Amino acid sequence: RIFAGGEFTSVGGQARNRLAALDSTGALTAWNPNSDASVYALASQSGVVYAGGNFANVGGQTRNRIAALNTTTGAATAWNPNASNIIRTLAYSSGTVYAGGDFITIGGQTRNRIAAIDASTGTATAWDPNASSSVTTLALDAGLVYAGGSFTNIGGQTRSMLAAIDASTGLATPWNPNATGGGGGQHTRSRFGACL
């Protein structure tokens, strides 16, 4: 199945509020978590779809901007990190959900716009790169978390819009493309896309 999120309210002529699943032929499935607001990010692992966005209710439960949804039923699981503001990007690796966005608290801790969340408990780990402004995209590779957004400082270093962060320490590596240009500030939706 292909899981999709966004701002749509119907797919294939059937009501689907911002989340849907399609089979390999493109046909809509019965999966229907029914999000009450935009979904900007999805990541999946072992029977769960992690969703992030600007919603307050999804999968039949109150979930502030981030949730784990059963891939069969569409119901929200007990996992509930409760982000204080928009989630714009998610990535999963080895029992950890990485989140980026506009939040300043998540998983019961202060985490400025980027965090690592235990995929079992929903609590934020000690990993804390502390971005100065919005994080809009994340990609994982070989012990590194690549981040893009409108920040100028992250992982304890000056980094303009792009950074590589050690997945263990939360510190920025020497990798520094020093991107410049573009308009807007913390509300920029997608300065960079990332794919590995």
Side-chain angles (χ1 to χ4, degrees):
R1 284 175 298 170
I2 302 298
F3 295 95
E7 299 179 348
F8 53 83
T9 55
S10 70
V11 176
Q14 296 187 53
R16 289 292 185 275
N17 290 316
R18 304 165 192 93
L19 283 164
L22 308 167
D23 68 18
S24 60
T25 71
L28 186 68
T29 74
W31 193 78
N32 187 14
N34 192 33
S35 174
D36 69 349
S38 300
V39 174
Y40 297 130
L42 296 174
S44 64
Q45 176 68 24
S46 300
V48 173
V49 173
Y50 298 97
N54 197 29
F55 50 81
N57 192 287
V58 68
Q61 300 292 329
T62 299
R63 293 290 182 270
N64 290 315
R65 305 171 189 92
I66 186 168
L69 306 168
N70 185 288
T71 56
T72 301
T73 66
T77 73
W79 193 79
N80 187 13
N82 192 33
S84 64
N85 207 333
I86 297 171
I87 300 288
R88 300 197 181 278
T89 181
L90 295 171
Y92 177 93
S93 179
S94 302
T96 301
V97 178
Y98 294 90
D102 302 335
F103 54 84
I104 58 171
T105 63
I106 191 170
Q109 301 293 327
T110 298
R111 293 289 182 271
N112 291 314
R113 305 170 191 91
I114 186 169
I117 304 161
D118 187 293
S120 297
T121 66
T123 58
T125 72
W127 192 77
D128 186 13
N130 191 32
S132 62
S133 192
S134 185
V135 174
T136 57
T137 191
L138 296 172
L140 310 179
D141 185 58
L144 295 175
V145 178
Y146 293 92
S150 55
F151 52 81
T152 56
N153 191 287
I154 192 170
Q157 300 293 327
T158 298
R159 293 289 183 270
S160 179
M161 302 184 197
L162 285 170
I165 303 162
D166 188 292
S168 297
T169 66
L171 299 176
T173 74
W175 188 79
N176 186 12
N178 193 32
T180 61
Q186 71 180 47
H187 299 295
T188 301
R189 292 297 186 263
S190 56
R191 284 283 182 85
F192 293 96
C195 183
L196 292 172

